[in-house]
Amino acid sequence: MEWIKKGIPYVLIILSVIFIRTFVVTPVRVDGTSMYPTLKNKDIILLKKYDQNYQYGDIVILNYMNSKLVKRIIGVPGDSIEFVNGKLYINSKIVDDPYSSITADFSLKQLGYSKIPEGYYFVMGDNRSASSDSRMIGLIQKRDILGTASVRIFPFSRFGMVK
């Protein structure tokens, strides 16, 4: 009976860790250079699973063909997207995007849409020339987005917020 009393705190700790990793936050390792210079290969970021209010500019982790991809939200439902001469146009208005200058001309119409439908998002990597993103794989369904990331926890020399 005494071992049960001593074991209860350990069981509670284990259950708390499982709960937090399952429903709140979990670490994710960046694989590749598609988000360079914001994130580098093998950086570890925290995935916030509870954050489901996705907005322009958010860094998200998505499930694509049983892999976790890290991308940035460029377009939300209702948006029209177009890159022309190194400039990003959302709903026919120029939007400040620091990586547009290295982005080839592209229009959402190339994917067969005039606007992003409800429940879908347009995502891209920051390293546009080395990113498999919505230009190639299509729009991403909300259900495939696992959450957002805004904190890098490794390497420790670059620990902090990411934007």
Side-chain angles (χ1 to χ4, degrees), residues 21 26-33 39-47 61-62 67-70 149 151-155:
R21 282 193 60 136
T26 192
V28 173
R29 182 181 297 255
V30 175
D31 184 21
T33 60
L39 297 169
K40 295 181 180 176
N41 188 36
K42 298 187 180 174
D43 280 359
I44 298 177
I45 54 180
L46 283 182
L47 162 62
I61 292 86
L62 55 107
S67 293
K68 288 186 174 98
L69 302 180
V70 181
V151 177
R152 178 183 15 250
I153 60 173
F154 187 83

Side-chain angles (χ1 to χ4, degrees), residues 40-101:
K40 295 181 180 176
N41 188 36
K42 298 187 180 174
D43 280 359
I44 298 177
I45 54 180
L46 283 182
L47 162 62
K48 298 184 293 185
K49 295 181 176 187
Y50 59 87
D51 189 0
Q52 306 252 320
N53 184 23
Y54 310 121
Q55 299 176 13
Y56 174 78
D58 285 351
I59 296 174
V60 294
I61 292 86
L62 55 107
N63 186 23
Y64 178 73
M65 298 182 71
N66 296 320
S67 293
K68 288 186 174 98
L69 302 180
V70 181
K71 304 294 175 192
R72 185 177 302 278
I73 294 203
I74 301 299
V76 299
D79 284 347
S80 63
I81 303 289
E82 194 170 28
F83 287 91
V84 179
N85 297 325
K87 297 197 183 320
L88 168 61
Y89 292 83
I90 297 179
N91 301 323
S92 302
K93 294 180 184 165
I94 293 179
V95 174
D96 182 34
D97 178 68
Y99 309 105
S100 289
S101 63

Side-chain angles (χ1 to χ4, degrees), residues 83-147:
F83 287 91
V84 179
N85 297 325
K87 297 197 183 320
L88 168 61
Y89 292 83
I90 297 179
N91 301 323
S92 302
K93 294 180 184 165
I94 293 179
V95 174
D96 182 34
D97 178 68
Y99 309 105
S100 289
S101 63
I102 58 171
T103 307
D105 287 0
F106 176 85
S107 171
L108 192 60
K109 292 175 183 169
Q110 290 172 245
L111 297 177
Y113 299 95
S114 59
K115 292 188 179 274
I116 299 172
E118 195 62 39
Y120 287 83
Y121 293 84
F122 186 88
V123 299
M124 296 179 81
D126 291 349
N127 185 2
R128 305 284 166 81
S129 61
S131 177
S132 292
D133 49 42
S134 286
R135 294 171 294 171
M136 296 90 186
I137 64 175
L139 299 176
I140 302 301
Q141 289 188 333
K142 184 174 184 175
R143 70 174 185 213
D144 292 327
I145 300 176
L146 304 174

